[in-house]
Amino acid sequence: METASCFHGDADFCPECGSVLPLPGLEDKVTCQRCAFAIDVHEFEVHVIKSSVVFNSLESSSAAIETEEEVEKGPVIDRKCSRCGHEGMVYHTRQMRSADEGQTVFYTCTHCRYQEKEDS
């Protein structure tokens, strides 16, 4: 049963009840699953769908590569580097897993810049 609506709106939504319309399939009509409003599938031929992905530049990213001065910033603890044996490492923490699990601690040797991580 084809019906005509007196409302006009976005083609992705039913003009009668506002529900999201299903994607067109092999049938000649797209039917709203909530109110049974039907529209001819050829009505969707004029609609153009565009999408784009914008990537942030590496310089503006918070994950940019750290400089040598930035590595030495932060609290220094009494921890022996497993690579060079130097006493004293800088640490920082990050939440790498779900919120109900512990943080991951990253240690950086102030002497050789070797990095270790420890999951809590």
Side-chain angles (χ1 to χ4, degrees):
M1 170 177 118
E2 185 170 343
T3 58
S5 176
C6 58
F7 300 106
H8 297 286
D10 193 309
D12 296 330
F13 299 93
C14 175
E16 289 297 312
C17 70
S19 295
V20 176
L21 289 173
L23 292 173
L26 299 175
E27 300 85 26
D28 291 337
K29 300 195 183 314
V30 174
T31 305
C32 177
Q33 295 175 347
R34 182 169 184 217
C35 71
F37 175 82
I39 187 168
D40 193 309
V41 74
H42 298 291
E43 295 272 336
F44 294 93
E45 289 177 349
V46 296
H47 297 286
V48 177
I49 299 173
K50 296 180 184 178
S51 64
S52 64
V53 178
V54 178
F55 293 98
N56 295 331
S57 66
L58 185 58
E59 292 80 30
S60 68
S61 173
S62 63
I65 300 172
E66 299 173 334
T67 64
E68 288 186 20
E69 296 85 34
E70 291 174 333
V71 171
E72 295 182 12
K73 288 183 181 176
V76 178
I77 61 165
D78 293 331
R79 181 180 173 112
K80 185 182 268 188
C81 176
S82 61
R83 180 194 221 177
C84 71
H86 179 59
E87 189 73 33
M89 296 184 88
V90 175
Y91 76 93
H92 69 276
T93 60
R94 289 206 178 140
Q95 188 70 36
M96 304 297 285
R97 298 173 287 170
S98 62
D100 63 338
E101 297 184 35
Q103 294 183 350
T104 302
V105 182
F106 294 90
Y107 299 97
T108 304
C109 178
T110 57
H111 183 258
C112 71
R113 309 256 190 280
Y114 179 69
Q115 292 186 335
E116 303 173 351
K117 76 174 186 173
E118 183 178 282
D119 296 320
S120 305

